[in-house]
Amino acid sequence: MMTDALLRPQNSAYVYILLGGSVLCAGIGVAYMGSLGFLSISGAVLFALLIILTAFRYYSDVDFRLKTDFFSYMLFYIAVAIGYAVGIVFYFTKQWYLAFIVGEAVGILFVVIKGSVYKRAFESPKKSIGGVAKSMSFLLSSNLMENLTLNADGLVLVLFCGEEAVAV
C-alpha cells in the first residue's frame, strides 16, 4: 500500500517509470506497425514520438485532478484542443501524426507552465521507486484487462472472419 509520505515527496519515480514505459510501448508499436508495412522511417519516428507524448499528456492531467482544480483541468483540455486545431495544418503534409503531436505537446507545455507535477520530475528517484513500480503494475494490469475486454469483439472477428470484418 502506497502511503502519502511515499507518493508526495518526489514524483520523479513516476516520471522515470513513465518515460521507460512509454519508450518501450513506442518501440513495440513501431515494431508491430513496421512488420505490417505501415510505417516509413519518418512515420516510425513520428509514431513513437506521438506514443511518448500521449503517455505524458495522460500523466499531466493528474496534476489538476489531485488538487481538484477543475477549472485548470478544463483549461488543460482546451489547450490540448487548440493544439489539435493548430496541428490540423500539418495534416496536409501527409504525416497525420503531426496533427496529434502538436496537441499533445501543447497540453504538456500547459502543465509545465501552470502545474507542479513536472517541477522536480527529473531529480534522482529515492527509495519510493519500487513501491511506485508495484503500484503502477497493478494499474497497468487493470488498464490492459479493460482494453482487452473493450476490444475483444474486434480480436474475435479478426480470428474468425478475417481482417475485412474489422473496421479500421
Side-chain angles (χ1 to χ4, degrees), residues 140-153 155:
L140 178 64
S141 299
S142 67
N143 279 326
L144 180 62
M145 286 188 283
E146 175 189 13
N147 286 323
L148 274 173
T149 57
L150 287 175
N151 296 305
D153 60 336
L155 295 172

Side-chain angles (χ1 to χ4, degrees), residues 157-168:
L157 280 173
V158 166
L159 289 174
F160 291 110
C161 300
E163 295 174 0
E164 297 81 31
V166 181
V168 177

Side-chain angles (χ1 to χ4, degrees), residues 73-118:
Y73 189 62
M74 180 186 68
L75 291 177
F76 168 72
Y77 276 103
I78 288 172
V80 171
I82 290 169
Y84 287 155
V86 169
I88 295 272
V89 172
F90 293 106
Y91 178 76
F92 301 107
T93 65
K94 304 294 183 213
Q95 293 291 345
W96 62 266
Y97 308 107
L98 289 172
F100 292 105
I101 287 171
V102 172
E104 303 295 333
V106 168
I108 294 167
L109 183 64
F110 179 82
V111 173
V112 167
I113 292 168
K114 179 139 173 73
S116 61
V117 76
Y118 293 120

